[in-house]
Amino acid sequence: MTTLVFVHGWSVTNTSTYGPLPQRLQQQAAANGMTLNVTDLWLSEYVSFDDAVTMADLVRGFDHALRDLHLIGANFACVTHSTGGPVVREWLRAQREKPGVYSTIRLSHLIMLAPANFGSALAQLGKGVLGRMRSWWNGVEPGQRILDWLEQGSAASLSLNIDHIHGADPADKGQFLFVLTGDRPDRALYDHLNSYTGEDGSDGVVRIAAANLNACHAVLTRKTSTVSGDTLALNLTRAPRTAFKLIPGASHSGDTQGIMAAAPATTLDAVLRCLRVIDSNSYTQLCNSFDAENAQRDADKVELEPVGPFSPRVHIHDPRSLLIVRLADEASEPLLDSRFLLSAGTPPNPDWMPQGFMLDRQANSRTANVISFFLNHALLTGDDRVADPTNSRKTLRAAVSGHRPYTASVQPSDLDGLVHHALAAMDVSDDLHTAWGPHQTTVLDVVLPRKVHEGVFRLTQKLAPEDFSDPVPGPVIG
């Protein structure tokens, strides 16, 4: 017998958001010999549309609500949608870090549908005028504090994800995480005022790469210093492996294609496969199966969107990568107004980057030194010819070659003064392509040396008054 808790996403005001998924899952589980009694299904009702509510408040509320459950064996499984994934992950972290404060109820399976693990590009717009107009129309607040967490590159979301990347593998202690996400938007739900709702490489709300927990933390730090600038070395840390599956044809929401609201058979099947995992071996087997199925989906990546009497729109669903760059110095001071450049080839040249590789970039509204880049991983890697599925002799895109190695450089705005920074670039022996992966997120911390000159602090034995309002910088110290 399994206790299953469903946790919805942001700005939900009615449990109709779950659609028929709980009932169909119960029926399908019974047909497969997996008992899920109706008393063991719980639907959450949490408030994210109040501007005063924070992520920490939701975590406390979730923990309190769980204590009211009379769990068999003091453990449960959880199916989340969208923001529900980060909510439960934050609760898991709170359990680890404050064991005396939070309950000891054990979560065995966390099955995340379209989770906004690394946020959503839509969150920034949801805090704007259009988002507030929509909230006013619906009679609720936009949920400012939760949207702050959901904005791509937010300090809170990066803290959670970097902890995960550097943390122990949950599967080693019998706790299994799964990410299931749709591979395309529902074109019928496209908002002509907001192009993100029809963005390829997303489900219409969350980018595939932002859902995936198979992420990487890359750090560029000083390797050598010269008169002309600093050379930066690349260091990589990869997250523990997480089961990740693309649900073909599913979108974030909607009764027709929604990964949860429409309860497609592919979602039901994938959730049940996740619930059958009982140990590390079966988890690894499922990870391998999901990877093989994702590869098949990536091979069949052309979508022809009907446009009435006109020729169909062509969508080539290349794997994308999300690169979240944080620019700071070794004193953790943010580098503002600095230029971050990607280059290709040897010697590095920004003009040699593959045409069309950059799909979008967005600076975080609260921390301007954090920028998210949405990249076409297929073009960066190189890709075979893409043929028209209705006529194999027709070429939709010619074969493209990658331009490796890819490197990065930083041009700070302050190149002189008592305290300043110098031009910095990656070592040409490193390649950023080893850091970003298909359908994955890479958090890149660029840490520049802080040039402090001896002129900031001097000692003198001259007892007569001396003006030092125009100090001579002198050499760099340290």
Side-chain angles (χ1 to χ4, degrees):
M1 185 176 294
T2 302
T3 297
L4 196 56
V5 177
F6 287 79
V7 181
H8 60 72
W10 170 75
S11 197
V12 169
T13 59
N14 195 296
T15 55
S16 62
T17 189
Y18 298 109
L21 180 64
Q23 294 89 342
R24 290 184 184 175
L25 190 59
Q26 183 184 31
Q27 294 166 1
Q28 193 66 38
N32 292 350
M34 183 184 297
T35 303
L36 281 176
N37 290 338
V38 68
T39 55
D40 298 313
L41 289 177
W42 296 84
L43 306 182
S44 70
E45 301 176 356
Y46 73 84
V47 174
S48 62
F49 46 81
D50 185 316
D51 285 346
V53 174
T54 68
M55 182 66 79
D57 295 332
L58 295 181
V59 169
R60 288 179 60 186
F62 181 59
D63 187 74
H64 178 76
L66 288 176
R67 293 173 190 266
D68 291 337
L69 299 183
H70 301 290
L71 298 176
I72 299 173
N75 63 71
F76 71 105
C78 192
V79 176
T80 67
H81 181 244
S82 194
T83 305
V87 169
V88 178
R89 289 181 59 221
E90 286 281 20
W91 173 74
L92 289 173
R93 180 164 68 161
Q95 265 196 325
R96 293 193 303 270
E97 294 182 351
K98 300 177 181 179
V101 177
Y102 288 87
S103 67
T104 58
I105 298 171
R106 181 175 175 274
L107 175 61
S108 60
H109 296 67
L110 175 56
I111 304 168
M112 294 171 274
L113 308 181
N117 283 319
F118 285 89
S120 168
L122 280 168
Q124 192 173 96
L125 303 180
K127 294 189 290 185
V129 175
L130 290 176
R132 291 190 175 276
M133 287 176 61
R134 176 186 174 190
S135 299
W136 173 81
W137 184 263
N138 292 331
V140 297
E141 295 176 349
Q144 178 78 38
R145 305 292 292 277
I146 304 303
L147 283 172
D148 286 343
W149 195 105
L150 289 172
E151 188 176 344
Q152 279 187 173
S154 74
S157 68
L158 291 180
S159 172
L160 176 65
N161 288 306
I162 288 177
D163 279 357
H164 171 73
I165 291 171
H166 291 271
D169 189 344
D172 289 342
K173 60 179 182 179
Q175 190 172 77
F176 306 108
L177 276 58
F178 312 85
V179 171
L180 314 176
T181 193
D183 71 340
R184 67 196 59 192
D186 184 342
R187 308 293 174 190
L189 299 179
Y190 179 70
D191 183 346
H192 293 275
L193 296 178
N194 184 356
S195 61
Y196 285 129
T197 59
E199 185 180 50
D200 289 337
S202 81
D203 63 4
V205 174
V206 176
R207 290 165 172 168
I208 295 171
N212 195 354
L213 284 179
N214 293 296
C216 176
H217 183 205
V219 182
L220 287 174
T221 55
R222 176 171 55 179
K223 182 177 182 181
T224 57
S225 293
T226 64
V227 175
S228 60
D230 296 313
T231 301
L232 305 176
L234 179 65
N235 302 280
L236 302 177
T237 303
R238 300 191 185 280
R241 189 182 188 188
T242 298
F244 172 73
K245 179 168 174 58
L246 296 169
I247 305 296
S251 63
H252 193 81
S253 55
D255 296 335
T256 303
Q257 293 178 223
I259 191 171
M260 181 174 70
T266 46
T267 298
L268 293 171
D269 175 70
V271 171
L272 290 174
R273 291 166 71 186
C274 295
L275 289 172
R276 292 192 194 100
V277 168
I278 58 172
D279 54 29
S280 293
N281 288 335
S282 56
Y283 184 68
T284 299
Q285 291 173 7
L286 186 60
C287 288
N288 293 338
S289 296
F290 281 175
D291 287 350
E293 292 159 18
N294 293 339
Q296 291 180 348
R297 174 271 178 199
D298 285 344
D300 183 22
K301 61 184 179 181
V302 177
E303 176 192 359
L304 300 178
E305 178 192 357
V307 189
F310 306 104
S311 299
R313 292 192 185 100
V314 177
H315 300 272
I316 301 176
H317 291 284
D318 289 322
R320 269 78 168 174
S321 299
L322 182 61
L323 178 66
I324 301 177
V325 179
R326 297 193 294 188
L327 300 172
D329 66 19
E330 56 197 1
S332 298
E333 289 290 327
L335 296 177
L336 303 175
D337 301 321
S338 297
R339 294 187 67 197
F340 175 81
L341 295 175
L342 291 172
S343 299
T346 306
N349 189 332
D351 293 333
W352 292 349
M353 293 297 293
Q355 185 176 5
F357 84 97
M358 178 74 73
L359 303 171
D360 183 62
R361 58 185 170 186
Q362 185 184 84
N364 187 273
S365 64
R366 292 186 173 271
T367 49
N369 65 311
V370 180
I371 308 168
S372 298
F373 298 89
F374 197 39
L375 311 175
N376 188 316
H377 188 272
L379 296 183
L380 290 166
T381 304
D383 196 29
D384 296 333
R385 165 183 174 270
V386 178
D388 187 328
T390 64
N391 181 1
S392 61
R393 291 182 295 179
K394 181 180 178 181
T395 298
L396 297 178
R397 186 177 70 198
V400 294
S401 59
H403 296 179
R404 298 177 66 179
Y406 298 109
T407 54
S409 61
V410 181
Q411 299 175 358
S413 58
D414 56 336
L415 295 174
D416 53 34
L418 285 173
V419 179
H420 67 95
H421 303 88
L423 299 173
M426 280 180 61
D427 192 315
V428 293
S429 63
D430 287 327
D431 185 357
L432 268 179
H433 201 67
T434 62
W436 53 53
H439 306 307
Q440 295 180 12
T441 294
T442 298
V443 179
L444 176 62
D445 278 316
V446 181
V447 184
L448 295 193
R450 189 174 175 85
K451 311 292 185 179
V452 181
H453 291 255
E454 68 172 16
V456 300
F457 197 113
R458 287 190 172 102
L459 299 176
T460 180
Q461 289 186 313
K462 296 178 182 179
L463 300 185
E466 183 177 17
D467 183 5
F468 59 92
S469 59
D470 187 20
V472 177
V476 174
I477 61 176

